[in-house]
Amino acid sequence: MVKPNDYVEINKFIDTKPMFGNWEVDTLMVFSVFVGIAIMFTKGFIPFATFFGTGVLAATLYEKIKKSKIKGFFLHILYMLGIRQPKTLPPSYMRYFIGA
């Protein structure tokens, strides 16, 4: 016999990314870095509120930039700067980033 608590909740769309407070996980990490810095290095309400507000602003700006660019834009920038190395070389038709 199946109880109501035994059901697993599945997203309506299979490709929906995990979200927290209407932010995707990568946006939440941007915010979390600022809150972590605020917790570790600030004393008092005003500096904490400043870092907290900056974290909200940075996460919002990151979200806007992410939505305005094509998929894979940030990874492409990391590859261009040499910060991240690709696992394999891209095919010849993908070597040059033309944009959308």
Side-chain angles (χ1 to χ4, degrees):
M1 187 166 158
V2 177
K3 297 178 186 175
N5 294 339
D6 292 340
Y7 292 111
V8 176
E9 229 178 276
I10 299 175
N11 287 332
K12 183 177 179 182
F13 302 106
I14 194 84
D15 60 344
T16 302
K17 294 180 181 178
M19 298 184 83
F20 179 82
N22 207 24
W23 278 347
E24 293 177 359
V25 176
D26 55 344
T27 308
L28 181 65
M29 287 306 299
V30 170
F31 174 72
S32 298
V33 166
F34 281 92
V35 171
I37 291 171
I39 290 172
M40 289 188 286
F41 297 115
T42 61
K43 294 178 183 174
F45 177 74
I46 300 296
F48 181 82
T50 303
F51 270 100
F52 189 87
T54 306
V56 170
L57 180 66
T60 305
L61 288 174
Y62 173 73
E63 190 74 23
K64 282 185 180 181
I65 291 171
K66 189 172 79 168
K67 297 290 183 197
S68 68
K69 301 296 181 185
I70 63 171
K71 187 175 180 178
F73 177 78
F74 289 111
L75 283 179
H76 180 76
I77 298 298
L78 293 178
Y79 292 144
M80 267 183 28
L81 296 175
I83 296 172
R84 183 172 178 172
Q85 297 298 321
K87 294 178 184 174
T88 60
L89 289 176
S92 61
Y93 65 89
M94 293 178 67
R95 293 224 171 111
Y96 299 102
F97 181 73
I98 299 172

